[in-house]
Amino acid sequence: MSEFVQLVKADNPGIMTLDGTNTWILRGPDAATSVVVDPGPNDETHLANILAVAGEVELILFTHHHFDHTECIDRLVELTGAPTRAIGEDWCRDADPLVDGELLNVAGLALEIVATPGHTTDSMCILITDDGSLLTGDTILGRGTTVIAHPDGVLGPYLDSLARIRELVLEGVAVRFLPGHGPVVDDPLPFVDFYLEHREERLDQVRAAVAGGASTPQEVVEVVYADVDKILWGAAELSVRAQLDYLNA
Ligand SMILES: [Zn+2]
């Protein structure tokens, strides 16, 4: 995948977490410390696995605030004494909130923060500038598509974020995606194109459902997500609400 990255997968599989949360451990060549990204659930076995790989932790980062990425924050801070950072200030301990474009020199690596609001308002990607790995959190998953977590998640910014990621791929700046759930994406251009096409397709379907008489988010879900397992309809309704807001704006 990348010589600077190791994966410790959490044992929290589920409909929203796929095979579980991907906790990424970043470390430059010969660096004595590491960065932990999205440590995830507050599970002592998972935390022990993280520490076994990470050694001395210099910094903890969160791609966004969702529980499956942040739950262990207090326990991991207790175990490591490391500062934590994210775009959302509630997830920063002993450090400032991150901002778009911020450059971090940490654990022997140069990281760039790329704010990618949409899935949530505080979603971000992390670019390892040394090798072009882009940690995408839940903005782009390793398989399937993500949820626009209305009302925090908003579709317009999400489409802009996908377009921005696509630019990074086209420029050769980002060469692979390391997602918050699911496998590494080694061929990122068709994957981000699939994400953009999927969103356009869903928007067309939502427009058609509304034109056809669906008048509540639930009714739109029943039409547009008829092909999707009902267990996902709650999440689908969040995306539908985000899409209806977008279309009404
Ligand atoms: Zn997640």
Side-chain angles (χ1 to χ4, degrees):
M1 117 195 11
S2 155
E3 59 180 309
F4 306 130
V5 174
Q6 287 169 281
L7 170 63
V8 179
K9 193 184 296 178
D11 185 19
N12 62 341
I15 56 167
M16 304 304 289
T17 56
L18 306 180
D19 324 303
T21 299
N22 290 334
T23 298
W24 299 103
I25 314 291
L26 318 183
R27 186 192 286 109
D30 307 319
T33 60
S34 64
V35 179
V36 176
V37 180
D38 286 347
N42 195 13
D43 168 324
E44 286 297 326
T45 304
H46 181 57
L47 289 165
N49 292 341
I50 289 172
L51 295 180
V53 172
E56 188 186 336
V57 178
E58 186 174 343
L59 180 64
I60 301 161
L61 297 174
F62 301 104
T63 60
H64 62 297
H65 72 274
H66 280 163
F67 194 64
D68 56 317
H69 299 257
T70 56
E71 187 193 20
C72 70
I73 180 169
D74 292 330
R75 179 69 177 133
L76 191 58
V77 165
E78 186 179 289
L79 289 168
T80 63
T84 74
R85 301 189 74 187
I87 285 183
E89 63 183 325
D90 289 352
W91 309 100
C92 299
R93 306 274 194 272
D94 296 323
D96 294 325
L98 292 164
V99 294
D100 184 39
E102 188 163 345
L103 301 173
L104 305 176
N105 282 299
V106 63
L109 291 171
L111 308 180
E112 182 176 345
I113 301 305
V114 183
T116 52
H119 170 69
T120 62
T121 293
D122 67 356
S123 285
M124 67 178 198
C125 296
I126 302 163
L127 178 69
I128 305 176
T129 61
D130 309 73
D131 77 346
S133 297
L134 187 69
L135 283 74
T136 53
D138 287 6
T139 298
I140 294 180
L141 303 178
R143 127 173 128 249
T145 58
T146 198
V147 170
I148 313 301
H150 175 89
D152 176 40
V154 184
L155 183 57
Y158 183 67
L159 295 174
D160 293 344
S161 293
L162 289 181
R164 184 163 177 208
I165 291 170
R166 189 174 192 277
E167 281 301 307
L168 293 177
V169 172
L170 280 178
E171 291 163 2
V173 173
V175 301
R176 73 182 65 80
F177 298 150
L178 310 182
H181 308 276
V184 170
V185 176
D186 281 315
D187 195 3
L189 187 59
F191 207 82
V192 73
D193 280 342
F194 156 68
Y195 261 60
L196 281 161
E197 283 159 20
H198 172 78
R199 291 266 63 103
E200 288 302 328
E201 220 173 81
R202 284 295 189 218
L203 272 174
D204 287 344
Q205 292 169 333
V206 170
R207 272 191 207 98
V210 171
S215 61
T216 65
Q218 183 60 35
E219 284 172 14
V220 173
V221 169
E222 285 168 17
V223 175
V224 173
Y225 290 83
D227 60 328
V228 168
D229 193 322
K230 280 189 182 169
I231 203 165
L232 288 165
W233 278 15
E237 188 176 325
L238 298 180
S239 285
V240 163
R241 286 177 183 272
Q243 290 175 88
L244 291 171
D245 273 9
Y246 179 81
L247 293 174
N248 290 331

